Amino acid sequence: MDGEQNKKVIIENFEYKRQYKEIVTSNGEKYIDANNYTYWTTNITVEVLKPEQIVFLNNDIERFAKEVQDKFTGLFDARKNKITEGQIKFSYDATLSIMGEVRNPDKITIIPAKAGFGKSSYIYSFLSNLCSHIKNNDSSSFSGQGVIIVTDKIESLRQLEKDIFKDMDYYHVGDYKTRYTYILEAWNKNSFRDGICKNEAIEEYEYGMCSGNECPFYNNCKMSYQKKQQVYSPILLITNARFRQFQERIEEYKTWIDKNGNYQERNIVIIDEKPTIIDDYRVDTDLFSTLKKTVEEVKVDVSENKNKEFLLKELLMVEDEVLNLRSEMGQYRNCIYCGTKEKLFSDEFNEKWGALIGYKHINSLNALERMFTQGALWCNANAPYFKTLGIKQFNYSGFKTYIFDATAELDPDYDDERFQFLSIDDYKNYENITFHIFRDKKMNMSRSALDLKKHYWKNKAVAEWINNNFRDKTYVVSYKKNVKVISKYLKHKGTRIFLDSDEEKPVIPHFGDTKGSNEFKDAKYMVQIGWNKAPSDEYLSQCLSRNTNFEKLFEPREDKAEQTAKILENKNGYFKKYDDANIYMWRKMAVEFEQEVFRTCVRDFSADNKVDIYIFMPDEKVIGLIYQRFKKCKIKTSYEVPVEFREEKILGRQNADGKDNKIQTFIKWIRDEWDGSKISIKDIKAKFELSDKYWEKINSNTAVKNIKMNRNIKLKREGKGKNQVNYWYALSND
């Protein structure tokens, strides 16, 4: 089988490390020779398969795939959208791979169709066709086929349910009157508003809260009866968040009952967008605070107080052990702790926790158990913590699992023999895309560079720059902490500047909240303010979870912490010796940036209109990956600092008394307050108490020069000799 696979090169000759030669002169001075270095490269490849290499096929499956393909193509025709041969072939090959009998049941099949390829339309076409076969159960071999669909956004599932209902009406028309699809709800911030949750007091989800023991409204809400009702629909729709909760119990949702009372199977799981693969968990002081608070607040009879005290006592013992470990490892930035216990919590503790508290915070307890029995990564960050390592198990016996993920081929989390890739022709070039890169260090847009306390001015400056430079629909995205401030100064919000539709106030979207969205598909411009970069500890824990042999990683030895600290040495956010962690980080950053780019009109595969993407101070390695991913794209580099940043940096300085200094007062007057009518230089100096020397300094300031140019300010002389007077006035730009 392996010989039939085709190797697909995703990234070629990626240079991940360069080491310069150090020269020592005759007098002992050292310098780096920039022209003399050694470098290391790697190719990023995946093995891709044709449908017949993934599944066994027959005539019925091929006819079914042709029906889906025809429906898929018909959708594009009805919308008068162009469709490419690649998209048509994708719809056919994906259906073959899903409906056929799998050759290797242990494999999860990745379908890496690009964003905008038509995945949502495909899933609708596939389900609509399947429901037609279920309806005509006497003539189809697929009449008993059920499916579980998993996606990120509940709104997408509701739209899918609405579309299928429009096509098919009800499935059961008798006592149950159920639809062909059933949405398995999970609690979210809008659940009360949507009539799903009856408890208005709930502000955030806690594991185990949706139960008769925890919620007085449970018996009257959908949460209580949906598990019983869902069995009467062939198609189960579920969010990724809900799927994570039930992954280990997904078998409970395999069976459905047809209209004749026969038991059938949902043995196909289709996951739209990447599921959670890494199973790492943070162990810190906040975790213990939460656990102890939970025990303190649980309501019990007086006779059970001793059980609460028992739980608290054992938690405190474990907390002391964690604090002792922190003290031992505090000298290291990162290192490995090897678990030494066979068991952490006593049987009596687990029994009492279950009786008093149930499933709440069971994941935290399991993480502590894993840390002390297996081991963990020590992270000496600003707030130190341990991180357990692991990979989630979500391929279950008896299910065929398929993941639609546009960026999976570059994503390092799929570097695993459990995954196989369907071959999809990546035929498109991107010569219509131009990446505009600001390189000057003043244009740094990192989280610290946009800190709202220290650098508030830069948030305002980037908003003013956008206001002055973009005249067409623009997708702007930044950090969650900054979007409200940036949005405050943006003009044309909701018309020219796209907003986050999930927010009550008009704000631009933030990183991590746009996955799979097509709300911004009309944007011809994109401005990414900052980079969705996680702390180096997070990339390290994920990389170790993904790329290491746990048995070897956590093998005890006397100097384990010291030796692993040397291997994991970190400088300025990069690992000096552990190259895998750096490559992992760059790939993840490139994947997330690629997803943001595909939020714009780039997602329209039939279009080739010009698209301009603006980014600030990127990592060169990430740009190297992006340049290969977007074939034939253009990259333009600028070292200029836009005038808005020069002005706002001056205006953003704070004096001790909180008042503006002379140049701040002057810039605000010349830019915003002065109406442009004739005024003498003498009067301006007097107005702002400027000496001749300071006047020369102000006039030579770059920000002032740019304002004068933008406002078309002219100098006029009247009179002669001692009576000569110099005036300023502004010409209209109309």
PDB file of all heavy atoms in Angstrom, residues 661-678:
ATOM      1  N   ASN A 661       2.508  68.614  26.177  1.00  0.00           N
ATOM      2  CA  ASN A 661       3.640  69.521  26.080  1.00  0.00           C
ATOM      3  C   ASN A 661       3.438  70.446  24.874  1.00  0.00           C
ATOM      4  O   ASN A 661       2.428  70.362  24.175  1.00  0.00           O
ATOM      5  CB  ASN A 661       4.960  68.759  25.997  1.00  0.00           C
ATOM      6  CG  ASN A 661       5.008  67.830  24.786  1.00  0.00           C
ATOM      7  OD1 ASN A 661       4.404  68.101  23.758  1.00  0.00           O
ATOM      8  ND2 ASN A 661       5.748  66.734  24.918  1.00  0.00           N
ATOM      9  N   LYS A 662       4.421  71.312  24.595  1.00  0.00           N
ATOM     10  CA  LYS A 662       4.238  72.334  23.561  1.00  0.00           C
ATOM     11  C   LYS A 662       4.030  71.732  22.170  1.00  0.00           C
ATOM     12  O   LYS A 662       3.157  72.150  21.419  1.00  0.00           O
ATOM     13  CB  LYS A 662       5.443  73.276  23.553  1.00  0.00           C
ATOM     14  CG  LYS A 662       5.472  74.242  24.721  1.00  0.00           C
ATOM     15  CD  LYS A 662       6.648  75.201  24.605  1.00  0.00           C
ATOM     16  CE  LYS A 662       6.640  76.180  25.784  1.00  0.00           C
ATOM     17  NZ  LYS A 662       7.757  77.157  25.690  1.00  0.00           N
ATOM     18  N   ILE A 663       4.856  70.721  21.830  1.00  0.00           N
ATOM     19  CA  ILE A 663       4.739  70.163  20.486  1.00  0.00           C
ATOM     20  C   ILE A 663       3.444  69.382  20.318  1.00  0.00           C
ATOM     21  O   ILE A 663       2.825  69.379  19.250  1.00  0.00           O
ATOM     22  CB  ILE A 663       5.965  69.289  20.131  1.00  0.00           C
ATOM     23  CG1 ILE A 663       5.971  68.994  18.620  1.00  0.00           C
ATOM     24  CG2 ILE A 663       5.986  68.005  20.949  1.00  0.00           C
ATOM     25  CD1 ILE A 663       7.266  68.383  18.136  1.00  0.00           C
ATOM     26  N   GLN A 664       2.971  68.715  21.397  1.00  0.00           N
ATOM     27  CA  GLN A 664       1.687  68.022  21.327  1.00  0.00           C
ATOM     28  C   GLN A 664       0.548  69.012  21.109  1.00  0.00           C
ATOM     29  O   GLN A 664      -0.330  68.797  20.266  1.00  0.00           O
ATOM     30  CB  GLN A 664       1.456  67.217  22.609  1.00  0.00           C
ATOM     31  CG  GLN A 664       2.362  66.009  22.748  1.00  0.00           C
ATOM     32  CD  GLN A 664       2.218  65.343  24.104  1.00  0.00           C
ATOM     33  OE1 GLN A 664       2.036  66.020  25.124  1.00  0.00           O
ATOM     34  NE2 GLN A 664       2.320  64.029  24.134  1.00  0.00           N
ATOM     35  N   THR A 665       0.576  70.114  21.873  1.00  0.00           N
ATOM     36  CA  THR A 665      -0.461  71.142  21.733  1.00  0.00           C
ATOM     37  C   THR A 665      -0.437  71.740  20.331  1.00  0.00           C
ATOM     38  O   THR A 665      -1.486  71.942  19.704  1.00  0.00           O
ATOM     39  CB  THR A 665      -0.255  72.252  22.775  1.00  0.00           C
ATOM     40  OG1 THR A 665      -0.210  71.662  24.076  1.00  0.00           O
ATOM     41  CG2 THR A 665      -1.376  73.270  22.715  1.00  0.00           C
ATOM     42  N   PHE A 666       0.768  71.983  19.820  1.00  0.00           N
ATOM     43  CA  PHE A 666       0.902  72.592  18.500  1.00  0.00           C
ATOM     44  C   PHE A 666       0.386  71.651  17.405  1.00  0.00           C
ATOM     45  O   PHE A 666      -0.344  72.070  16.502  1.00  0.00           O
ATOM     46  CB  PHE A 666       2.368  72.954  18.230  1.00  0.00           C
ATOM     47  CG  PHE A 666       2.606  73.521  16.864  1.00  0.00           C
ATOM     48  CD1 PHE A 666       2.220  74.821  16.560  1.00  0.00           C
ATOM     49  CD2 PHE A 666       3.195  72.753  15.868  1.00  0.00           C
ATOM     50  CE1 PHE A 666       2.419  75.336  15.294  1.00  0.00           C
ATOM     51  CE2 PHE A 666       3.403  73.261  14.611  1.00  0.00           C
ATOM     52  CZ  PHE A 666       3.009  74.560  14.318  1.00  0.00           C
ATOM     53  N   ILE A 667       0.763  70.366  17.470  1.00  0.00           N
ATOM     54  CA  ILE A 667       0.332  69.411  16.446  1.00  0.00           C
ATOM     55  C   ILE A 667      -1.184  69.262  16.437  1.00  0.00           C
ATOM     56  O   ILE A 667      -1.817  69.209  15.370  1.00  0.00           O
ATOM     57  CB  ILE A 667       1.037  68.048  16.647  1.00  0.00           C
ATOM     58  CG1 ILE A 667       2.491  68.156  16.190  1.00  0.00           C
ATOM     59  CG2 ILE A 667       0.328  66.938  15.895  1.00  0.00           C
ATOM     60  CD1 ILE A 667       3.295  66.889  16.355  1.00  0.00           C
ATOM     61  N   LYS A 668      -1.801  69.181  17.609  1.00  0.00           N
ATOM     62  CA  LYS A 668      -3.267  69.071  17.661  1.00  0.00           C
ATOM     63  C   LYS A 668      -3.926  70.307  17.050  1.00  0.00           C
ATOM     64  O   LYS A 668      -4.935  70.218  16.355  1.00  0.00           O
ATOM     65  CB  LYS A 668      -3.725  68.879  19.110  1.00  0.00           C
ATOM     66  CG  LYS A 668      -3.405  67.502  19.676  1.00  0.00           C
ATOM     67  CD  LYS A 668      -3.880  67.358  21.113  1.00  0.00           C
ATOM     68  CE  LYS A 668      -3.548  65.974  21.671  1.00  0.00           C
ATOM     69  NZ  LYS A 668      -3.977  65.820  23.078  1.00  0.00           N
ATOM     70  N   TRP A 669      -3.311  71.481  17.302  1.00  0.00           N
ATOM     71  CA  TRP A 669      -3.884  72.727  16.758  1.00  0.00           C
ATOM     72  C   TRP A 669      -3.768  72.770  15.239  1.00  0.00           C
ATOM     73  O   TRP A 669      -4.747  73.007  14.537  1.00  0.00           O
ATOM     74  CB  TRP A 669      -3.165  73.930  17.375  1.00  0.00           C
ATOM     75  CG  TRP A 669      -3.583  75.229  16.760  1.00  0.00           C
ATOM     76  CD1 TRP A 669      -4.717  75.937  17.018  1.00  0.00           C
ATOM     77  CD2 TRP A 669      -2.854  75.972  15.771  1.00  0.00           C
ATOM     78  NE1 TRP A 669      -4.768  77.066  16.263  1.00  0.00           N
ATOM     79  CE2 TRP A 669      -3.633  77.119  15.476  1.00  0.00           C
ATOM     80  CE3 TRP A 669      -1.638  75.777  15.119  1.00  0.00           C
ATOM     81  CZ2 TRP A 669      -3.220  78.072  14.540  1.00  0.00           C
ATOM     82  CZ3 TRP A 669      -1.225  76.719  14.186  1.00  0.00           C
ATOM     83  CH2 TRP A 669      -2.007  77.857  13.913  1.00  0.00           C
ATOM     84  N   ILE A 670      -2.567  72.486  14.725  1.00  0.00           N
ATOM     85  CA  ILE A 670      -2.346  72.600  13.283  1.00  0.00           C
ATOM     86  C   ILE A 670      -3.111  71.520  12.510  1.00  0.00           C
ATOM     87  O   ILE A 670      -3.564  71.740  11.389  1.00  0.00           O
ATOM     88  CB  ILE A 670      -0.827  72.542  12.953  1.00  0.00           C
ATOM     89  CG1 ILE A 670      -0.585  72.844  11.476  1.00  0.00           C
ATOM     90  CG2 ILE A 670      -0.232  71.226  13.332  1.00  0.00           C
ATOM     91  CD1 ILE A 670       0.884  72.856  11.101  1.00  0.00           C
ATOM     92  N   ARG A 671      -3.285  70.358  13.151  1.00  0.00           N
ATOM     93  CA  ARG A 671      -3.936  69.249  12.442  1.00  0.00           C
ATOM     94  C   ARG A 671      -5.450  69.301  12.535  1.00  0.00           C
ATOM     95  O   ARG A 671      -6.158  69.050  11.547  1.00  0.00           O
ATOM     96  CB  ARG A 671      -3.431  67.908  13.002  1.00  0.00           C
ATOM     97  CG  ARG A 671      -3.884  66.691  12.213  1.00  0.00           C
ATOM     98  CD  ARG A 671      -3.406  65.403  12.838  1.00  0.00           C
ATOM     99  NE  ARG A 671      -4.080  65.122  14.106  1.00  0.00           N
ATOM    100  CZ  ARG A 671      -3.909  64.010  14.815  1.00  0.00           C
ATOM    101  NH1 ARG A 671      -3.048  63.092  14.393  1.00  0.00           N
ATOM    102  NH2 ARG A 671      -4.548  63.819  15.952  1.00  0.00           N
ATOM    103  N   ASP A 672      -5.972  69.629  13.719  1.00  0.00           N
ATOM    104  CA  ASP A 672      -7.403  69.464  13.957  1.00  0.00           C
ATOM    105  C   ASP A 672      -8.171  70.754  14.265  1.00  0.00           C
ATOM    106  O   ASP A 672      -9.386  70.808  14.042  1.00  0.00           O
ATOM    107  CB  ASP A 672      -7.613  68.490  15.134  1.00  0.00           C
ATOM    108  CG  ASP A 672      -6.918  67.149  14.907  1.00  0.00           C
ATOM    109  OD1 ASP A 672      -6.939  66.674  13.752  1.00  0.00           O
ATOM    110  OD2 ASP A 672      -6.359  66.604  15.871  1.00  0.00           O
ATOM    111  N   GLU A 673      -7.490  71.767  14.797  1.00  0.00           N
ATOM    112  CA  GLU A 673      -8.226  72.926  15.322  1.00  0.00           C
ATOM    113  C   GLU A 673      -8.158  74.165  14.419  1.00  0.00           C
ATOM    114  O   GLU A 673      -9.142  74.882  14.275  1.00  0.00           O
ATOM    115  CB  GLU A 673      -7.694  73.266  16.722  1.00  0.00           C
ATOM    116  CG  GLU A 673      -7.865  72.120  17.723  1.00  0.00           C
ATOM    117  CD  GLU A 673      -7.097  72.353  19.009  1.00  0.00           C
ATOM    118  OE1 GLU A 673      -6.639  73.497  19.228  1.00  0.00           O
ATOM    119  OE2 GLU A 673      -6.941  71.385  19.790  1.00  0.00           O
ATOM    120  N   TRP A 674      -7.026  74.414  13.837  1.00  0.00           N
ATOM    121  CA  TRP A 674      -6.856  75.606  13.009  1.00  0.00           C
ATOM    122  C   TRP A 674      -7.673  75.472  11.727  1.00  0.00           C
ATOM    123  O   TRP A 674      -7.616  74.445  11.046  1.00  0.00           O
ATOM    124  CB  TRP A 674      -5.367  75.792  12.698  1.00  0.00           C
ATOM    125  CG  TRP A 674      -5.035  76.932  11.779  1.00  0.00           C
ATOM    126  CD1 TRP A 674      -5.563  78.184  11.801  1.00  0.00           C
ATOM    127  CD2 TRP A 674      -4.096  76.896  10.700  1.00  0.00           C
ATOM    128  NE1 TRP A 674      -5.015  78.949  10.809  1.00  0.00           N
ATOM    129  CE2 TRP A 674      -4.100  78.185  10.116  1.00  0.00           C
ATOM    130  CE3 TRP A 674      -3.246  75.922  10.179  1.00  0.00           C
ATOM    131  CZ2 TRP A 674      -3.286  78.514   9.021  1.00  0.00           C
ATOM    132  CZ3 TRP A 674      -2.437  76.247   9.114  1.00  0.00           C
ATOM    133  CH2 TRP A 674      -2.454  77.523   8.541  1.00  0.00           C
ATOM    134  N   ASP A 675      -8.428  76.536  11.374  1.00  0.00           N
ATOM    135  CA  ASP A 675      -9.281  76.487  10.188  1.00  0.00           C
ATOM    136  C   ASP A 675      -8.545  76.817   8.896  1.00  0.00           C
ATOM    137  O   ASP A 675      -9.139  76.805   7.805  1.00  0.00           O
ATOM    138  CB  ASP A 675     -10.485  77.420  10.353  1.00  0.00           C
ATOM    139  CG  ASP A 675     -10.070  78.896  10.489  1.00  0.00           C
ATOM    140  OD1 ASP A 675      -8.865  79.193  10.350  1.00  0.00           O
ATOM    141  OD2 ASP A 675     -10.965  79.727  10.739  1.00  0.00           O
ATOM    142  N   GLY A 676      -7.246  77.126   8.979  1.00  0.00           N
ATOM    143  CA  GLY A 676      -6.464  77.389   7.783  1.00  0.00           C
ATOM    144  C   GLY A 676      -6.428  78.834   7.349  1.00  0.00           C
ATOM    145  O   GLY A 676      -5.775  79.180   6.352  1.00  0.00           O
ATOM    146  N   SER A 677      -7.137  79.705   8.074  1.00  0.00           N
ATOM    147  CA  SER A 677      -7.121  81.123   7.718  1.00  0.00           C
ATOM    148  C   SER A 677      -5.753  81.731   8.033  1.00  0.00           C
ATOM    149  O   SER A 677      -5.003  81.225   8.873  1.00  0.00           O
ATOM    150  CB  SER A 677      -8.209  81.870   8.481  1.00  0.00           C
ATOM    151  OG  SER A 677      -8.020  81.741   9.879  1.00  0.00           O
ATOM    152  N   LYS A 678      -5.419  82.823   7.376  1.00  0.00           N
ATOM    153  CA  LYS A 678      -4.092  83.436   7.469  1.00  0.00           C
ATOM    154  C   LYS A 678      -3.763  83.828   8.909  1.00  0.00           C
ATOM    155  O   LYS A 678      -4.575  84.423   9.606  1.00  0.00           O
ATOM    156  CB  LYS A 678      -4.045  84.677   6.570  1.00  0.00           C
ATOM    157  CG  LYS A 678      -2.641  85.257   6.421  1.00  0.00           C
ATOM    158  CD  LYS A 678      -2.578  86.328   5.351  1.00  0.00           C
ATOM    159  CE  LYS A 678      -3.334  87.584   5.790  1.00  0.00           C
ATOM    160  NZ  LYS A 678      -3.106  88.705   4.843  1.00  0.00           N
TER     161      LYS A 678
END
